[in-house]
Structures are given as structure tokens and as C-alpha cells.
Amino acid sequence: MSGRGEVDVSPGSGPDDPIEEYLDRLLVTLNGSPRQVRHTMAEVEAHLRDAVAEEIASGRPEAQAEAAAVQRIGPVHEVTGVTPAFARPTAALGRRVALAGGLVGGIGLVTVGISGLIAWLLVAVKGDRFLAAPWGPGSYTAADCARWMAADPGHGCIAAMLNDHVGDILSRGAAAGVLGVLVLAGYLVLRRRWRDRGTMTALPAGSAEALGAFLALLATLGAAATAVDLESAQRGAGAGQPFSLAAAAFLATVFFTLRLLRAARRAPS
Amino acid sequence: MKAEKLKGHLDLLLLSVLARGPGHGYEVITRLRDSSEGAFELPEGTVYPALHRLDEAGLLASTWAVVNGRRRRVYQVTTAGQEALAQQADQWRTFSGSMSRVIGGAAGLVARPAAALAGDPA
């Protein structure tokens, strides 16, 4: 084995330690299984410490020796064997954004589905008019009325229209909910597959949760304001739809906020 | 020598260096530098993907050992690696000999006009 490197070089911990900084960059760039990543990290760290010891033994101060060791080993992509254009940060960022989109999009769709469920309960308690408000007399054409009444025989134009609209709202909610569950299932599968450190650190911890919480809060406030407006302007007619959306969006806000807090607690200070 | 030129022959160089005895990554680089008398200067990290590739291909075998107080991955050439080394070394000698003959002939032609410009009155 090599006789070089007799100087004892202990790992540094300062924020500007070039060896530590290099190893950090390597860690988030390496491809492979956790074991392969650990092995390469151990090899490269031993290499860098040896190089520092050799530089110090040749008379360089420690800071210069560390900088020289990093320069000698070359850019991180030399160690990973992947050219920078295809290096993991780019792919990892794509994967992380896809995961964030899957989580936020999936929860968003499920939220619409839950709002449909709430709307269905509201219809059962308060009737169709709470969910879909009819316009004033003369607002609907004879053709529209004929179409609605054909699909709902035995009811007048307004009642048939309300049934049709409520059915549309509930079926859209159900479809969104099912789609959301599928998106979330895909998200969970991909998250299991892409749990490497490079992907997980490509965006700051809690990014998806922060975005989700912001969008859900926006939806909650917007829908609640619309529901209050309809409640006061139309005596509640049609307020059920924004109200159910506000309630579901509020649940999503709570969900994302709790996840965001958990991510913040886990993140290193 | 430029690192890019060396990269095409890195497998042969690494097998050659490790054929002299097992060694870890830093030792491989040191041997490479010393035996080439400093001519082969390449980013030291370059050896790791090549070592790992040769390890996966079965031309090298690696074990972990504590050397000078640090845990290191020590590589050694396998039987398959020795055969590959012999084959690649033969190919290189053939290639190198052919290159030398071609370049040697051309170098003589290039030297003559320079000599003529320097002092030949004809």
C-alpha cells in the first residue's frame, strides 16, 4: 500500500471546508443504490483525505492542501462518470418536480372529489337549489327545457334543469376524485422508486407541501367568499357548490400544512 | 498528456497498474503518476467510474480494508482481468508499433524542408 499520507488529516466541519463541500455535491449527484452511493462516498473521502495529507506533507498549509486535493480529483462529474448535461441534478429536478406535481395535483383532484361528496350530502339535506341556482324566468330556451325535461320526465323545466346541473356537479366531483386517487397511487409508486437522495434534495424540503398549502388556502378563501356572497345575494341559492369546495379545500389546506410542519421539523437546522 | 487522450486507454492502464499488486483508488493514481514519471496527469476522480466498471465486469475484484486508519476499497485483478490485460496489451503494442512506423516516416519528411530553409542554398 502507499507510503504517502502519513500526516493525520481529520475531517473538517466548517461551512467553507472544500472537502466537505465537495462531498456534499458528490452525494447529491451520485447515481446508484444506497450501498453504491455509500461505497463511492467512502472511497472518495478517503482519497481526498490522502491527497490533503500528501499536500500537507509537501509543505502546504491545510487550507491550500484541501483546495489542491479538490482540484486534483477534478469536477464531481469525473467521479460519477456522467457528463454534466446528463448529470443527476437535471434529471433529479425533473423527478422531484414530477413528484411535487403528482402530490399537489392528486390532492387537488381528490379535493374536488370530496367537495362533490359534501355537495351530495348538502343536496340530501337542503335540496337541489342549494347547489345550483336557477336563473330568472325566461332565461332558458325552449330547446334547453325540452332537453332537460326529456331526461327527467314528470318535472318542469326548472326542476329538470336543477336535476341535470346537480347530476353534472356530482358526477364531475366523482370523476375528479377517482382520477385524483389514481394520480396519488402513481405518486406513491414513483416516490418509492425515486427515493434517492439526489431526487429528494433537488427541491427544498416541503416545497410541494408549501405550494399545495398556498393553493388550497387560496381555493378555500375564494370559494368561501363566493359562498358568502351567494348566501347574501341569492339567499343561499347555488351557494352549496362553493361552500362544499371551500370545506374540501380547507381540509386540503390542513393536510398540506401538517405535512409542511413535519417537513420543517425533519429538515436540518 | 491530455486527460482526454488517456481516457480511451484507462482500462488498460488501470489493469496494468493493479497487475503489480492490489491497491486502493488513491494508490492506483499514485502508481499511475509515478510509473509515467508524471506524464499521465488526469483528474484523479476519473479512475473511480473506470474502477467500478471493471469491478462490475469481473475484471477486478474489490474488498474493503482499513489501511492507514481509513476504510478503503482495495482492488485486485481477477483471472479474467489478467486475460483482458494480456489481450489489450497485445492490441496496444500492435497499434503503437504501427503508429510509430507511420509517424516515424512522416517525421523525416517534415524535418527536411525545415533543414532546407535553415541553410540549404539549393
Side-chain angles (χ1 to χ4, degrees):
Chain A
M1 302 292 157
S2 175
R4 295 172 189 269
E6 295 302 322
V7 177
D8 180 36
V9 181
S10 52
S13 58
D16 299 326
D17 184 328
I19 303 288
E20 294 293 311
E21 204 267 333
Y22 187 89
L23 292 171
D24 286 347
R25 273 188 286 131
L26 180 62
L27 180 61
V28 298
T29 311
L30 274 173
N31 265 321
S33 68
R35 182 173 299 180
Q36 287 171 325
V37 170
R38 279 192 302 106
H39 286 181
T40 304
M41 291 298 296
E43 268 189 298
V44 172
E45 178 159 15
H47 182 117
L48 286 166
R49 303 289 174 205
D50 279 346
V52 171
E54 187 184 329
E55 294 288 340
I56 289 175
S58 71
R60 286 196 175 192
E62 187 173 345
Q64 282 183 23
E66 288 177 344
V70 168
Q71 186 163 6
R72 278 170 49 183
I73 201 165
V76 162
H77 68 81
E78 296 287 5
V79 176
T80 62
V82 181
T83 52
F86 300 103
R88 187 175 202 155
T90 309
L93 183 61
R95 289 195 289 269
R96 190 73 184 88
V97 168
L99 286 177
L103 178 65
V104 174
I107 293 293
L109 287 166
V110 167
T111 300
V112 175
I114 291 173
S115 80
L117 191 65
I118 295 171
W120 176 73
L121 291 171
L122 290 173
V123 167
V125 174
K126 302 194 75 167
D128 287 353
R129 281 175 186 265
F130 188 59
L131 204 62
W135 291 345
S139 299
Y140 304 110
T141 64
D144 284 338
C145 280
R147 180 165 54 83
W148 291 323
M149 289 165 71
D152 190 8
H155 287 99
C157 178
I158 296 300
M161 179 277 291
L162 287 175
N163 268 340
D164 184 76
H165 281 31
V166 167
D168 282 351
I169 291 166
L170 297 182
S171 56
R172 272 202 300 267
V178 169
L179 186 60
V181 168
L182 291 175
V183 169
L184 286 178
Y187 160 79
L188 291 173
V189 169
L190 291 177
R191 194 183 66 166
R192 192 177 291 256
R193 185 174 296 178
W194 295 339
R195 60 185 172 184
D196 55 284
R197 188 170 170 78
T199 300
M200 299 319 289
T201 55
L203 287 176
S207 303
E209 286 79 2
L211 176 66
F214 173 73
L215 293 176
L217 181 64
L218 214 60
T220 304
L221 296 175
T226 307
V228 168
D229 184 51
L230 289 173
E231 185 66 37
S232 59
Q234 298 185 32
R235 295 183 178 177
Q241 195 180 347
F243 178 79
S244 59
L245 183 60
F250 177 72
L251 292 177
T253 307
V254 171
F255 170 79
F256 280 123
T257 305
L258 290 177
R259 279 183 62 105
L260 181 60
L261 291 174
R262 196 176 64 169
R265 275 199 300 272
R266 284 181 177 177
S269 54
Chain B
M1 187 176 286
K2 294 252 184 189
E4 288 305 317
K5 285 185 182 173
L6 283 179
K7 281 181 183 175
H9 310 293
L10 200 51
D11 289 4
L12 174 59
L13 291 172
L14 295 179
L15 287 171
S16 303
V17 160
L18 285 167
R20 296 171 199 168
H24 53 76
Y26 191 77
E27 204 169 13
V28 166
I29 276 287
T30 307
R31 286 187 202 167
L32 199 57
R33 189 179 55 201
D34 291 350
S35 56
S36 71
E37 296 177 347
F40 291 171
E41 288 285 348
L42 73 169
E44 294 174 358
T46 312
V47 297
Y48 289 101
L51 287 171
H52 297 167
R53 192 177 61 249
L54 292 170
D55 191 20
E56 282 173 21
L59 304 183
L60 294 179
S62 64
T63 52
W64 286 87
V66 176
V67 182
N68 289 342
R70 267 193 275 279
R71 193 165 167 263
R72 299 161 199 273
R73 190 174 187 175
V74 178
Y75 297 88
Q76 61 181 353
V77 180
T78 61
T79 308
Q82 286 169 352
E83 289 167 6
L85 171 60
Q87 193 179 5
Q88 287 185 30
D90 274 350
Q91 286 172 356
W92 170 255
R93 276 190 282 270
T94 305
F95 175 76
S96 168
S98 305
M99 283 290 286
S100 296
R101 284 191 291 278
V102 173
I103 293 171
L109 292 172
V110 172
R112 236 172 270 158
L117 283 173
D120 190 349

